Amino acid sequence: MENNIKELTNGYTQLTTYNGYVLAEKDFEYSESKKQYVTWMQNDRGFTLGHYFTDKTAAEEDFAVRTGLIHQNKLFNADELAVLYKALNDYDAAGNFDYDNKTLCSSIESARDKLESIPGIDIEKYSKIKVLIVEPGQEPRSAEIINDLYTLQDIVDGYIEITHPNEDGSVAVIFNEEGKLRGLPPNREISGNMYVGTLIIAGCAENGEFCSLDSIQSETYKQLLGLKEELNHSQKQIQDKGSGIVL
C-alpha cells in the first residue's frame, strides 16, 4: 500500500492507495470538526465508483474489501455482531457448554471478549425485550429490559414465577414466587389470581422463551391493568358481593 499524502479532486486528501483503489478524506461540509471519507476505484481517466462515509472505520473496512485485502464475508455489520453475541450468551445460558472441551470454551470466551470490546456495537440490542412493568399503586409503564434471569429477578426482587393469563400462552406474568410469604404489597388481580409485588408482563414465544410484547398486547394490558380499570373492578366486586355474587 502507498501512504503518500497528496491532494486529490474535490478537496480530498489521499490517505492510502492499493490495488487500484484509493482511500481519501476531507473536512465534512457541515462541520469542521468532522471528516468525510471516500473509497474510489482509480483508472487512467481518474476516480470513479466512490463509496462515501462519515465514519473512518467503516471507510477503512470498505477499502479493505474493495482492494481484496479482506473477503467481504469475513466482516460483519453492527447488527450481525450483536446477534452473534446474543447467540453465544444463549448457548451458555442453555447449559450447552462442553466444559471438558477446553479449546471450545476458550474460543467462545475469546469471541465474547472481542465482541464486548468493539466500540459502537450494542451487544445487548437483541437481548432486550419490550415489556410492561406493573408496580403496586402505579400505572403500567413500558420498558425495554435485558432478557436474562438476573434482570428479571432484580425487577421483581426475588426468585421468579410465571403464569399465563391468556389461553394461547403468548403473554407471561412474571412475579416474585415468595411475594405472598414475604408480605409484599397487593398489586393486581389478573384472570382470577391476585398478585403481589412488582409484575412484569412479557411476550412468550412458542419455545417458552420470553420475548417482546407486540403493540396490541402492550396497549391491551396497559388498559386492562390501568388503575382506573382496577378501581372499577374493585367497585364492581363490592356491589356484586352485596347481591350475593362474588367474581
Side-chain angles (χ1 to χ4, degrees), residues 29 34 36 70 97 106 146 160 191 200 231:
E29 181 179 356
K34 292 184 179 181
Q36 183 170 326
I70 298 177
F97 269 23
S106 176
I146 299 172
I160 65 170
S191 300
I200 304 169
L231 180 60

Side-chain angles (χ1 to χ4, degrees), residues 27-243:
D27 290 334
F28 190 55
E29 181 179 356
Y30 303 105
S31 174
E32 293 182 359
S33 64
K34 292 184 179 181
K35 298 285 187 179
Q36 183 170 326
Y37 303 91
V38 62
T39 63
W40 278 309
M41 179 187 291
Q42 187 175 12
N43 55 35
D44 295 338
R45 291 172 294 178
F47 305 103
T48 185
L49 300 176
H51 295 176
Y52 296 86
F53 305 87
T54 55
D55 179 76
K56 187 176 182 180
T57 299
E60 290 171 337
E61 289 179 352
D62 183 72
F63 179 77
V65 170
R66 297 190 79 180
T67 58
L69 288 169
I70 298 177
H71 191 282
Q72 62 181 354
N73 288 340
K74 288 188 176 182
L75 290 176
F76 297 90
N77 62 37
D79 280 354
E80 291 169 336
L81 290 171
V83 168
L84 290 173
Y85 185 82
K86 180 182 184 301
L88 288 173
N89 280 348
D90 288 348
Y91 183 80
D92 186 6
N96 292 322
F97 269 23
D98 179 5
Y99 290 101
D100 292 330
N101 189 333
K102 303 301 183 183
T103 302
L104 173 63
C105 291
S106 176
S107 297
I108 290 174
E109 288 306 314
S110 175
R112 285 202 291 198
D113 289 343
K114 287 182 179 179
L115 289 167
E116 289 174 351
S117 70
I118 298 174
I121 302 299
D122 184 0
I123 58 177
E124 296 173 347
K125 179 174 182 179
Y126 293 103
S127 298
K128 294 178 181 177
I129 57 174
K130 295 179 180 179
V131 301
L132 292 179
I133 295 180
V134 188
E135 299 172 286
Q138 302 292 324
E139 291 287 353
R141 59 182 174 88
S142 299
E144 188 174 60
I145 65 173
I146 299 172
N147 185 18
D148 65 16
L149 179 61
Y150 307 107
T151 300
L152 299 175
Q153 289 178 338
D154 185 57
I155 293 173
V156 304
D157 190 26
Y159 296 115
I160 65 170
E161 189 172 341
I162 306 152
T163 59
H164 299 281
N166 54 347
E167 292 183 358
D168 63 7
S170 61
V171 173
V173 179
I174 305 167
F175 58 98
N176 188 313
E177 70 172 4
E178 299 177 333
K180 291 182 179 179
L181 292 175
R182 290 172 50 187
L184 297 183
N187 192 339
R188 300 294 202 277
E189 183 177 337
I190 307 174
S191 300
N193 294 320
M194 175 55 71
Y195 295 87
V196 300
T198 299
L199 309 178
I200 304 169
I201 311 298
C204 195
E206 291 184 1
N207 62 4
E209 293 186 0
F210 300 128
C211 61
S212 291
L213 293 170
D214 61 36
S215 57
I216 295 177
Q217 290 171 330
S218 182
E219 287 305 312
T220 297
Y221 280 89
K222 271 187 179 180
Q223 292 182 20
L224 287 175
L225 302 179
L227 292 179
K228 184 177 180 181
E229 292 296 325
E230 284 292 304
L231 180 60
N232 290 341
H233 181 63
S234 297
Q235 290 174 339
K236 187 176 187 305
Q237 280 187 311
I238 294 172
Q239 293 171 356
D240 290 339
K241 285 179 180 179
S243 63

